[in-house]
Amino acid sequence: VGYRAPPSRVLNGRTGFGYLVPNSEDSAVLGVIFDSCSFPQQGPAAAAAGAQGEAAQTRLTVMLGGHKFDRFFRGDDASVRGQAEEAVRREVLGSHLQVPADLVPAVMDTSIHRKCIQ
């Protein structure tokens, strides 16, 4: 799931590549990449300015499922897409990053790859 939002308190001062969720955790989330930290040159501010300025967006890539895909996600791609986006809101934004509920994403782009990471 690709997550994009205006610069905000989403990362709350966190920097770095992102994080992995241990397999021992009962979570659909495998890991999160902080794209706006790791790849600032790919963001809209850099593209507009032609430089590595401050990010114009908070961008995350959330990897879900893996070998636990069938345990956490059911149904057709539209159903799975909704379940995946809810997992991002609940687990990544709510629990892991402790983002206030009033901060909603500008965009969530969800691609389903059922056999990608096993």
Side-chain angles (χ1 to χ4, degrees):
V1 176
Y3 170 94
R4 294 188 314 248
S8 62
R9 300 170 290 175
V10 172
L11 291 179
N12 214 10
R14 293 175 186 90
T15 60
F17 184 77
Y19 63 92
L20 297 173
V21 176
N23 194 31
S24 59
E25 295 287 323
D26 187 31
S27 175
V29 180
L30 302 174
V32 179
I33 299 171
F34 300 162
D35 295 312
S36 48
C37 294
S38 302
F39 309 106
Q41 71 279 9
Q42 295 178 1
Q52 291 187 19
E54 184 175 326
Q57 292 181 324
T58 297
R59 296 176 290 115
L60 308 174
T61 297
V62 181
M63 293 157 288
L64 302 158
H67 70 284
K68 300 185 274 187
F69 186 94
D70 292 334
R71 182 167 160 227
F72 287 101
F73 304 107
R74 304 242 189 289
D76 62 10
D77 283 359
S79 296
V80 170
R81 190 170 287 109
Q83 295 164 37
E85 291 174 1
E86 179 55 30
V88 169
R89 280 190 286 277
R90 185 183 65 250
E91 291 188 50
V92 175
L93 299 176
S95 180
H96 299 173
L97 298 177
Q98 299 177 336
V99 174
D102 64 324
L103 290 180
V104 296
V107 176
M108 274 201 214
D109 299 314
T110 305
S111 298
I112 310 299
H113 304 284
R114 293 178 187 266
K115 304 274 184 196
C116 186
I117 302 173
Q118 295 196 355

